[in-house]
Amino acid sequence: MEIIEKHASFGGWQEVYKHHSEVLKCSMKFAIYIPPHEKDEKLPVIYWLSGLTCNEQNFITKAGAQKYAAENKVIIVAPDTSPRGESISDDEAYDLGQGAGFYVNATQEPWSENYKMYDYIVDELRAIIDSNFPTNKVQSIMGHSAGGHGALVIGLRNPDIYKSISAFSPIVAPSQVPWGEKAFTAYLGKDQALWSDYDAVELIKSSSVKMPILVDQGSEDSFLKEQLKPEILADVCREKDYPVTLNMRDGYDHSYYFIASFIENHIKFHTSYLIN
């Protein structure tokens, strides 16, 4: 593991590392903010998953989260969104291939060789973080857009690992919207029965464990009606009596201006479950 950035921030350190991923079979980067803490103190972790076209830089440079992570004494880890490199399969479109891993384990060629972002986030990256940084191995997960989809799916499928889930503008029902249909067909194949493992709405329908979930969605989001459809999540949670908090934020769009406006709320939400 190689450190490639280190910046003092609110008494702590914003760092970026590069490492070889055995799961993805390529070099990967992740960002980590470590708040000020005592020498032997162990801290909880919040994982942030970014959306389409993003990498490990978007969140750490635009969300303004370091201040609130320092105040609440939580580590925040922000990985890249897909495998990267000249030998890694890609697509000319922004919503498939590099920068668009969708946090699934691909089963279809040519993607299945490298696109195992689900396993990378849940297993490999978490092990790296716990082995190299002052964590207490207690974590929650959050994300934005396609990363919000990833956070919901990973959290819902692993209630024994994550304490809470939150998302900004998530793709809640990827099996029912163009972004998800395109990515799932490419990565998982045409059998839609296999898509349900990566669809938050379908996972909630079959869930026996109720996890705390916070979702913020902007009313002026240009992707709201075609790609995000939070009403589908609201409906299924109502039917299943599932405890989700869905905030429709009047006037806000899909950008990091929106995320920066409410990131403090999300960090405090997770902290309430991470620190008992």
Side-chain angles (χ1 to χ4, degrees), residues 51-192:
L52 299 174
T53 76
C54 294
N55 57 29
E56 80 289 341
Q57 291 290 323
N58 298 73
F59 179 77
I60 64 173
T61 59
K62 296 180 179 181
Q66 291 88 349
K67 178 178 186 292
Y68 309 116
E71 291 174 353
N72 291 277
K73 296 189 79 171
V74 293
I75 293 169
I76 299 185
V77 176
D80 201 348
T81 57
S82 78
R84 304 275 185 174
E86 292 183 3
S87 64
I88 304 299
S89 298
D90 200 6
D91 190 272
E92 292 181 356
Y94 76 94
D95 54 0
L96 190 67
Q98 295 188 38
F102 270 86
Y103 305 99
V104 304
N105 287 339
T107 59
Q108 304 298 301
E109 297 294 342
W111 313 105
S112 57
E113 177 70 13
N114 304 99
Y115 283 74
K116 306 287 187 182
M117 285 299 294
Y118 178 91
D119 282 352
Y120 174 70
I121 300 297
V122 175
D123 297 321
E124 185 177 28
L125 179 62
R126 186 164 57 91
I128 289 170
I129 299 302
D130 286 341
S131 297
N132 292 279
F133 300 97
T135 83
N136 62 6
K137 300 184 179 180
V138 178
Q139 55 271 313
S140 291
I141 192 163
M142 61 181 178
H144 171 234
S145 194
H149 140 74
L152 287 167
V153 166
I154 288 172
L156 287 165
R157 286 180 58 175
N158 297 278
D160 57 326
I161 295 176
Y162 304 96
K163 296 291 187 180
S164 53
I165 308 167
S166 75
F168 292 86
S169 316
I171 307 170
V172 300
S175 300
Q176 302 181 50
V177 300
W179 270 340
E181 290 170 351
K182 177 179 179 179
F184 284 7
T185 300
Y187 295 142
L188 305 173
K190 295 181 179 180
D191 183 358
Q192 295 191 16

Side-chain angles (χ1 to χ4, degrees), residues 3 5-17 31-37 66 70 75-76:
I3 187 167
E5 289 187 42
K6 184 172 184 176
H7 311 282
S9 181
F10 294 98
W13 296 98
Q14 179 63 66
E15 301 173 351
V16 179
Y17 288 83
I32 183 168
Y33 178 74
I34 306 169
H37 62 284
Q66 291 88 349
I75 293 169
I76 299 185

Side-chain angles (χ1 to χ4, degrees), residues 21 38 51 61 79 102 116 136 185 202 230 237 244 260 274:
S21 167
E38 300 299 324
T61 59
F102 270 86
K116 306 287 187 182
N136 62 6
T185 300
E202 297 303 317
C237 287
V244 65
L274 290 167

